[in-house]
Amino acid sequence: MIGYNSFKPGSTGVCDIKPDLPDFVFGVIGLKGNVFNYRNTKKKNTIEHWVQTSNSVEYQYQFSAATTNVLLHKKTERRDYCDGKIKAQLYKADGSSQQWFLFGKNFPEALMMEPKKYLGNFAVGYQQSDKGLFIIMQMIGGSMDSKILEIEDVDICFDPAPFKIFEDERRTKLTESIAREREKLQEMKQSLKNILHVHQRKLSSPVIKRKH
């Protein structure tokens, strides 16, 4: 799985996860397609913890917009990343202007990218291919230029237990709302029946004529 968060420069560390902050936002993506969006909302003097799944269990987070395998060809250019610690090789697909700088144990002349075997965000991250596992260090295409600036091996813990599932809570409230509306409709129906019954009784009452 991969986790990602947004942060204000200088306010917190890149890898800090602080779920007690009022503006906490944290995303988790799984290779099988599970996407979880954790966030906090401030209500009066308390902070509510929510997680939204968007029913994403069948969604596959893909390497690109392509729905089929993509064949990449090795080019001559190489670039340094992470202060020269990593050298990545340029790869491109025929007929595409996108550039992919990949890092791996070796750099084959061509490799097949499988869309549903990508784990990352913003087009960078881990990619399984027919030639093994690679890290996409940078992707350049159109108006997008995304790259990995730093890689660290750190221990980070995140406890999702306090977060309530947003869809479950919404479903519960919706069910309660429907039940209340049905109850109101039933009361209105019964009131109309009572009114109709009173009118029927009045209309069916015998008329007594007096003789003078």
Side-chain angles (χ1 to χ4, degrees):
M1 305 190 82
I2 185 171
Y4 61 94
N5 64 349
S6 58
F7 63 94
K8 297 176 182 178
S11 62
T12 183
V14 175
C15 294
D16 287 347
I17 301 176
K18 297 182 177 181
D20 295 328
L21 295 177
D23 58 348
F24 174 75
V25 176
F26 184 59
V28 176
I29 303 172
L31 186 59
K32 292 184 179 180
N34 307 88
V35 180
F36 302 96
N37 294 306
Y38 295 88
R39 60 182 174 83
N40 288 343
T41 57
K42 194 171 182 180
K43 192 173 183 180
K44 294 182 180 179
N45 295 323
T46 61
I47 295 176
E48 293 183 345
H49 305 284
W50 298 99
V51 55
Q52 189 169 2
T53 66
S54 300
N55 299 317
S56 60
V57 290
E58 295 181 359
Y59 173 75
Q60 295 288 346
Y61 204 75
Q62 298 191 157
F63 149 71
S64 71
T67 56
T68 58
N69 293 350
V70 179
L71 180 64
L72 299 184
H73 298 281
K74 180 180 176 181
K75 302 300 177 180
T76 56
E77 184 180 353
R78 282 194 181 186
R79 289 187 182 181
D80 291 342
Y81 296 88
C82 302
D83 296 326
K85 297 175 185 177
I86 294 176
K87 292 186 181 296
Q89 183 71 46
L90 172 62
Y91 282 83
K92 291 184 68 177
D94 291 337
S96 175
S97 60
Q98 293 180 336
Q99 302 179 58
W100 306 88
F101 287 87
L102 307 180
F103 170 72
K105 291 183 178 179
N106 51 60
F107 301 107
E109 292 300 317
L111 50 86
M112 189 73 73
M113 297 292 215
E114 298 182 44
K116 295 182 180 180
K117 292 188 177 180
Y118 164 73
L119 187 59
N121 201 16
F122 305 111
V124 295
Y126 294 97
Q127 172 65 51
Q128 184 69 36
S129 75
D130 61 335
K131 299 296 193 302
L133 183 65
F134 289 83
I135 299 178
I136 303 172
M137 298 300 300
Q138 184 175 8
M139 195 287 290
I140 304 172
S143 60
M144 185 174 184
D145 186 348
S146 179
K147 66 180 177 180
I148 296 175
L149 299 178
E150 189 176 350
I151 296 177
E152 290 184 85
D153 185 11
V154 295
D155 292 326
I156 300 175
C157 295
F158 172 61
D159 182 12
F163 290 81
K164 295 182 291 184
I165 299 176
F166 178 78
E167 286 86 355
D168 288 352
E169 190 77 9
R170 185 173 59 178
R171 190 181 300 111
T172 300
K173 290 183 178 180
L174 183 60
T175 302
E176 292 174 352
S177 177
I178 292 173
R180 286 194 299 269
E181 289 299 319
R182 285 179 176 174
E183 187 176 344
K184 288 180 181 179
L185 289 173
Q186 188 63 32
E187 291 175 356
M188 291 175 61
K189 184 178 179 181
Q190 187 60 46
S191 297
L192 288 172
K193 281 185 177 180
N194 293 338
I195 293 171
L196 183 61
H197 182 64
V198 169
H199 281 292
Q200 286 177 340
R201 287 187 61 186
K202 286 182 178 180
L203 290 172
S204 60
S205 297
V207 178
I208 301 173
K209 292 184 180 180
R210 293 184 179 180
K211 291 182 179 181
H212 296 283

